[in-house]
Amino acid sequence: MRVVEAVLSIFINPQFYKIALTVATPLIFASLGGVFSEITGVVNIALEGIILMGAFTSVVFTYLTGNVWFGVLMAIVAGLLMALLHAWGSIKWAGNQVVLGTALILLSQGITGFLMEPIFGQPGQTDFVGKIDEITIPGLAKVPFIGQVIGEISPFVYIAFGCVAFGWWLIYKTKLGLRMRAVGENPEAADTLGVNVYAIRYFGVLMSGVFASLAGAYLSVGEIGQFKELMSGGRGFIGLAAMIVGKWNPIGAMLSSLFFGFFGAFANQLQSLQQIQVPANVKPLFDTIPFILTIVVVAGVVGRSRPPKADGVPYEKSA
Amino acid sequence: MAPEVNEIKTAHHLYAVEMIDITKRFPGVLANDRVTLRVKAGEIHAIVGENGAGKSTLMNQLYGLYHPDSGEIRIFGEQKRFHGPRDAIRAGIGMVHQHFMLVDTLTVAENVVLGSEPVKGLNFDLNRAREEVRKLSEAYGLYVDIDAKIEDIPVGMQQRVEIIKTLYRGANIIILDEPTAVLTPQEVEELFEIMRNLKKSGKTILFISHKLNEVMEISDRITVMRGGRVTAELITKETNEREIARAMVGRDVVLKLDKPPHKAKDVVLEVRNLWVKDNRHLNAVRGVSFQVRAGEVVGIAGVAGNGQTELVEAITGLRKVENGEIIFLGKNVAGAHPRQLREMGMSHIAEDRLKYALIKPFPAYYNAILGRHYKTPFASGAFLNHREIKRFTAELMEEFDVRPRIIEHLGGNFSGGNQQKLVVGREIKAHPKFMVVAQPTRGLDVGAIEFIHRQILRMREQDVAILLISMELEEIFSLSDRILVMYEGQIMGEVRPEETTVEEVGLMMAGKRLEEIRGGKK
Ligand SMILES: Nc1ncnc2c1ncn2[C@@H]1O[C@H](COP(=O)(O)OP(=O)(O)OP(=O)(O)O)[C@@H](O)[C@H]1O
Ligand SMILES: [Mg+2]
């Protein structure tokens, strides 16, 4: 009984919801990146690698300049470069998008691992280099419960929701968005109407680089102020799962990210309950909860959620 | 017909389109060989020719999708070089492709404006898009459901969306590549009405069709192509179907085959009280029963969408049977796997060849053995026997006149008619006992139709049981021993072609039962 009570007590603690939001934030960025790329027809599993690069780059430039926001800006630049590589290989050269994405993940793991020693003089993880502080929303912070959840929180959380709104508007309310959706569904048709299929796809992939790098920057300078090797920890893939469950719609992707965030936070809180005696060697199993959940949810939803028809198919013009 | 004078001149120049000495080569294929086409402003100009004659290729160059290897294009007398469709659109050209170019998940209005969207500030102005579409739709009598998604509307309406797309971009010259191939006779009449409206308002129309009666009805002049060249330029009023057919095929074509009497043998397939649902879970086939005997052709007539597709899919094991029995060679096979049915001697010429019959990125030699790829002589154990596969394919292509005769040619790169010949050849060469033949001549030229009809009758003589589904009444009448008419998932009656009339079958297709029709006469 005491266990049940303790578990329930998790849900009445505002701190739990705040953690859920912070767990969800990088997933929101990542899934939004997935939406932007795949809606134009390019599968981008490189997100995982771009997140890692973003996390690393922001720490490096924060370390070098002492300006955290400059670190974030450089993370975006790095994300754009990675995305450009992916776009170039998969659009210009019509390469296999999954293979390319995998190569980029391995590349970013290699580069970040290798540069640890020369830059920071130690492998594994950096020291604390600086962190973006939580912001306090004056009126909101005083509201009971809600104030404790979102009254004082990392600005990245707000930026993430802002990006979702922007993404939704761009995709569903502008002519560029209409063209993106058309190109991902039937590039040939779009081409016969004079839409530049390649340019639209480049745009989608580059935007995915921006969003994924923000996810990375949040993980490092946004949350803990340091870089740890492989700290992206599969969030790129969970982001893609959230995108699928959310039916390639920014709002849907955000909602599923929140869902995953909620369970991530739950797993996290569960481990710290005193009432549950968790031997240290079993702890890693708790960390797999989000992944198991991903498999279950995606397997249940995937049949009903239809990807853009030309998703993953390179477009090659005929003679 | 009263002599038509073009009062409205889109431009002072006599010719809207001149394509002069156009040559276009694909790997191994000379698709257009010094073709010259001249289309007068304000006329409906038909282009006819065998499958693979190069009609679509020629039109794709006019629309800027392909670039001629050599030759010259003039629009209203002005020489043009198109780098892409955008240039062609700017020159006032619009094209409705043989395979529609629509985005299924977008709405009608969104599809129409795609690429030249109206905007309000930063936003896409959906309301203005809808308004523009509504105006065009009213002006030319092109009825469409503006807010429906493409995937939810019938083919006829999709085609009207394609036409509105060209008008929205201000096209004066409209290319229609085989627009009637997918339409019901009723829809064809509607399309012709639209074409006449367009002509009245001064548009020039290029019309490709394999149906010579349509060409005779709607066109002013005709260009005939064969093997990549122009073989004749005819004035519609001064020619006839026979002459066109001869120019197309290079020999006299038998437009109507005669069918020798042949005695039907044992029952091969029996369907008893069959019920099948469609994709929307509505009953599409509602209690259908019939038999097909060895050595007879049973034709199923009916307007598209009355359950024929679902019936075929149920019989061939592609769709779940809700109720009833399908007895094939004495065994109930309702719910059997397609491979089991093939093993038992069933073969299937599918209605939608791109979806069910052919794999576009596969070379001809894989497409030719699909369905038997795992059996000797094409496979030994887990391995494919490529030498035998290629030999067989070459033989098939020779026998069924699939052009170009290149076994490595990709399925998607054959012209529509040649894709069909490849599929027909594959299914016939499986030596079936029972064959389901759905819309076998859709999109085929007269020569190919004659050929395929001969093959079907040859199968009948070899005591194969044949179930023929077709929207072409002429085809049903000339091949069938018995005709069943389907309406809303039920059979309205069974008649013999020599004892009925097109009118009687037409009435059944519209939902009258045979007893009502014949009862009413007395
Ligand atoms: N992209 C391509 N690559 C290679 N060969 C092609 C390609 N497109 C067409 N061809 C070949 O060019 C020839 C002409 O094809 P085209 O599609 O123009 O014929 P068509 O007259 O339109 O025939 P149909 O009446 O069957 O539509 C055919 O032999 C075809 O196989
Ligand atoms: Mg064609």
Side-chain angles (χ1 to χ4, degrees):
Chain A
M1 265 310 97
R2 276 182 47 228
V3 175
V4 176
E5 245 169 62
V7 169
L8 285 179
S9 74
I10 292 177
F11 293 108
I12 54 165
N13 183 355
Q15 206 54 33
F16 166 71
Y17 295 95
K18 183 172 171 182
I19 293 173
L21 277 180
T22 56
V23 175
T25 295
L27 301 181
I28 293 176
F29 281 122
S31 62
L32 192 59
V35 169
F36 264 77
S37 179
E38 294 210 1
I39 214 167
T40 65
V42 183
V43 170
N44 190 357
I45 65 166
L47 290 180
E48 177 71 17
I50 301 177
I51 294 174
L52 191 64
M53 270 307 214
F56 182 73
T57 313
S58 54
V59 166
V60 169
F61 282 91
T62 303
Y63 174 70
L64 294 178
T65 65
N67 184 334
V68 208
W69 287 105
F70 184 73
V72 175
L73 185 70
M74 291 318 284
I76 294 178
V77 172
L80 278 169
L81 286 176
M82 291 276 289
L84 190 64
L85 271 178
H86 187 61
W88 186 64
S90 53
I91 302 169
K92 176 88 195 290
W93 297 104
N96 183 304
Q97 298 167 10
V98 173
V99 174
L100 268 166
T102 309
L104 285 171
I105 294 173
L106 296 175
L107 181 76
S108 56
Q109 291 176 350
I111 290 181
T112 52
F114 169 76
L115 289 179
M116 283 298 288
E117 283 265 11
I119 299 179
F120 300 100
Q122 65 194 62
Q125 65 181 61
T126 68
D127 296 329
F128 181 87
V129 295
K131 171 174 177 309
I132 290 176
D133 294 324
E134 296 190 339
I135 49 166
T136 311
I137 314 275
L140 197 60
K142 294 201 188 68
V143 182
F145 202 87
I146 293 179
Q148 284 166 282
V149 181
I150 53 171
E152 204 180 329
I153 201 162
S154 165
F156 275 94
V157 177
Y158 283 101
I159 294 174
F161 287 105
C163 285
V164 170
F166 168 76
W168 179 83
W169 169 77
L170 189 84
I171 291 172
Y172 292 104
K173 293 291 159 194
T174 70
K175 74 178 193 184
L176 178 59
L178 183 72
R179 291 178 182 194
M180 289 169 75
R181 286 181 286 147
V183 161
E185 191 69 25
N186 190 344
E188 220 181 340
D191 194 12
T192 59
L193 295 174
V195 172
N196 188 336
V197 176
Y198 300 120
I200 300 273
R201 288 193 165 179
Y202 265 97
F203 174 76
V205 177
L206 288 178
M207 288 301 284
S208 80
V210 171
F211 293 126
S213 63
L214 283 173
Y218 170 71
L219 288 178
S220 58
V221 297
E223 210 169 18
I224 54 173
Q226 59 178 163
F227 177 80
K228 297 179 182 170
E229 264 186 62
L230 305 183
M231 73 187 296
S232 51
R235 286 180 182 81
F237 293 105
I238 298 183
L240 289 176
M243 165 198 78
I244 294 172
V245 177
K247 302 192 170 165
W248 286 266
N249 176 316
I251 308 275
M254 174 193 78
L255 292 176
S256 356
S257 296
L258 286 173
F259 173 80
F260 285 128
F262 187 85
F263 276 91
F266 182 62
N268 170 303
Q269 295 293 85
L270 217 49
Q271 291 178 60
S272 48
L273 279 185
Q274 276 115 25
Q275 286 83 350
I276 302 177
Q277 300 298 329
V278 187
N281 56 345
V282 180
K283 280 215 165 181
L285 273 185
F286 276 85
D287 296 330
T288 64
I289 289 182
F291 295 96
I292 293 170
L293 193 74
T294 305
I295 293 172
V296 173
V297 174
V298 171
V301 162
V302 118
R304 270 166 289 141
S305 162
R306 196 175 69 77
K309 220 174 277 153
D311 199 7
V313 189
Y315 182 64
E316 288 174 279
K317 255 182 184 318
S318 34
Chain B
M1 224 199 288
E4 280 269 353
V5 188
N6 280 308
E7 280 121 356
I8 313 152
K9 283 270 184 301
T10 324
H12 32 271
H13 203 268
L14 174 63
Y15 290 114
V17 176
E18 291 165 279
M19 297 182 80
I20 301 158
D21 263 345
I22 301 285
T23 297
K24 177 74 191 173
R25 198 180 283 278
F26 291 116
V29 186
L30 187 54
N32 287 157
D33 182 8
R34 281 175 290 128
V35 171
T36 295
L37 169 74
R38 287 198 171 85
V39 182
K40 287 183 186 160
E43 73 172 349
I44 296 182
H45 191 107
I47 301 176
V48 299
E50 289 181 293
N51 298 119
K55 305 178 295 292
S56 297
T57 304
L58 189 67
M59 292 302 103
N60 283 334
Q61 294 171 86
L62 180 55
Y63 192 59
L65 281 170
Y66 294 163
H67 309 294
D69 297 340
S70 66
E72 194 181 313
I73 297 175
R74 291 189 200 152
I75 304 299
F76 290 113
E78 203 179 307
Q79 190 178 337
K80 299 275 180 188
R81 263 195 70 81
F82 298 147
H83 297 285
R86 191 163 273 252
D87 294 340
I89 293 170
R90 203 170 297 136
I93 299 171
M95 178 161 180
V96 177
H97 294 263
Q98 192 166 357
H99 305 288
F100 293 160
M101 296 285 181
L102 295 167
V103 183
D104 283 349
T105 47
L106 299 184
T107 68
V108 168
E110 288 171 332
N111 264 283
V112 169
V113 300
L114 181 64
S116 348
E117 304 85 351
V119 288
K120 195 158 91 194
L122 284 172
N123 287 0
F124 160 53
D125 191 348
L126 181 62
N127 279 328
R128 217 170 92 213
R130 297 174 63 235
E131 186 55 23
E132 301 264 348
V133 175
R134 197 185 53 74
K135 267 194 247 156
L136 286 171
S137 138
E138 277 170 13
Y140 294 95
L142 289 150
Y143 168 71
V144 291
D145 187 349
I146 293 174
D147 295 313
K149 283 190 179 165
I150 297 297
E151 59 195 357
D152 297 329
I153 62 176
V155 189
M157 192 185 289
Q158 295 185 356
Q159 186 168 64
R160 293 194 287 275
V161 176
E162 286 279 28
I163 297 174
I164 295 178
K165 264 167 70 177
T166 68
L167 296 171
Y168 174 76
R169 287 167 179 74
N172 292 317
I173 300 164
I174 299 174
I175 306 166
L176 302 172
D177 193 353
E178 289 193 42
T180 59
V182 290
L183 300 185
T184 63
Q186 172 66 30
E187 288 172 321
V188 170
E189 268 320 305
E190 288 168 17
L191 174 68
F192 283 0
E193 201 45 49
I194 292 164
M195 286 170 67
R196 288 190 194 101
N197 282 342
L198 291 169
K199 180 176 158 178
K200 236 179 272 159
S201 61
K203 311 276 182 199
T204 305
I205 297 175
L206 282 109
F207 170 70
I208 298 180
S209 174
H210 288 296
K211 294 180 188 153
L212 301 182
N213 56 337
E214 294 177 354
V215 170
M216 291 301 294
E217 181 183 341
I218 195 80
S219 73
D220 300 306
R221 294 197 310 135
I222 305 165
T223 294
V224 186
M225 292 182 70
R226 167 154 42 99
R229 297 187 185 186
V230 171
T231 52
E233 265 186 52
L234 305 164
I235 295 169
T236 310
K237 269 177 291 187
E238 297 166 5
T239 187
N240 57 47
E241 291 187 30
R242 202 155 284 280
E243 190 182 3
I244 306 172
R246 199 180 313 122
M248 268 173 71
V249 187
R251 62 177 165 88
D252 275 311
V253 182
V254 186
L255 293 173
K256 200 154 193 134
L257 289 177
D258 45 33
K259 178 178 60 190
H262 184 76
K263 204 172 155 356
K265 312 270 162 33
D266 299 336
V267 174
V268 173
L269 182 97
E270 179 170 5
V271 171
R272 285 191 201 147
N273 187 29
L274 188 70
W275 289 74
V276 186
K277 290 197 164 147
D278 63 15
N279 289 342
R280 292 165 302 164
H281 300 287
L282 304 173
N283 286 316
V285 177
R286 305 185 297 153
V288 163
S289 306
F290 61 88
Q291 294 182 337
V292 188
R293 294 168 175 274
E296 75 168 345
V297 177
V298 174
I300 294 191
V303 176
N306 275 288
Q308 300 97 316
T309 307
E310 288 79 9
L311 175 66
V312 167
E313 289 177 355
I315 292 176
T316 52
L318 294 170
R319 187 177 283 273
K320 199 172 144 232
V321 170
E322 297 296 323
N323 209 340
E325 287 173 293
I326 300 170
I327 294 154
F328 180 40
L329 298 170
K331 205 174 141 208
N332 185 4
V333 294
H337 190 270
R339 180 178 284 194
Q340 253 172 301
L341 296 170
R342 283 190 174 271
E343 295 272 350
M344 289 173 72
M346 185 184 290
S347 95
H348 176 201
I349 296 175
E351 172 183 345
D352 186 343
R353 54 187 167 241
L354 290 181
K355 192 156 152 204
Y356 289 118
L358 202 86
I359 300 179
K360 282 207 267 183
F362 273 18
Y365 61 80
Y366 285 148
N367 274 305
I369 57 152
L370 280 181
R372 286 194 290 156
H373 52 276
Y374 57 94
K375 286 186 8 182
T376 44
F378 303 128
S380 32
F383 297 98
L384 288 175
N385 187 351
H386 278 94
R387 182 181 306 217
E388 175 56 21
I389 290 172
K390 290 182 176 173
R391 190 203 59 75
F392 172 83
T393 307
E395 177 186 291
L396 184 157
M397 292 177 79
E398 193 62 41
E399 210 174 304
F400 288 83
D401 192 28
V402 182
R403 279 178 273 175
R405 240 34 117 257
I406 303 172
I407 60 172
E408 290 86 8
H409 211 61
L410 300 186
N413 287 349
F414 282 101
S415 75
N418 284 295
Q419 292 175 345
Q420 184 73 344
K421 289 195 243 173
L422 187 63
V423 171
V424 170
R426 175 183 77 206
E427 297 301 317
I428 287 183
K429 283 176 81 67
H431 301 296
K433 298 193 180 74
F434 170 65
M435 212 165 160
V436 181
V437 183
Q439 318 292 359
T441 56
R442 182 179 277 179
L444 294 203
D445 66 63
V446 282
I449 291 176
E450 178 198 354
F451 177 80
I452 286 188
H453 283 178
R454 274 189 207 285
Q455 297 302 323
I456 292 174
L457 291 179
R458 201 187 79 197
M459 301 292 284
R460 167 177 174 266
E461 240 141 85
Q462 291 168 1
D463 285 334
V464 177
I466 296 164
L467 183 65
L468 169 73
I469 291 90
S470 178
M471 287 172 10
E472 303 288 335
L473 272 187
E474 241 176 272
E475 181 162 87
I476 292 273
F477 268 80
S478 69
L479 296 178
S480 312
D481 295 294
R482 291 186 288 132
I483 301 174
L484 305 171
V485 184
M486 254 182 112
Y487 175 77
E488 295 200 336
Q490 296 184 322
I491 289 178
M492 292 291 114
E494 176 186 325
V495 288
R496 296 189 159 271
E498 61 277 6
E499 294 165 358
T500 186
T501 57
V502 175
E503 287 70 37
E504 196 170 68
V505 172
L507 280 174
M508 286 194 273
M509 283 167 65
K512 273 215 166 1
R513 289 187 180 276
L514 184 62
E515 309 90 71
E516 293 175 53
I517 303 167
R518 294 203 170 157
K521 264 185 196 161
K522 276 174 201 161

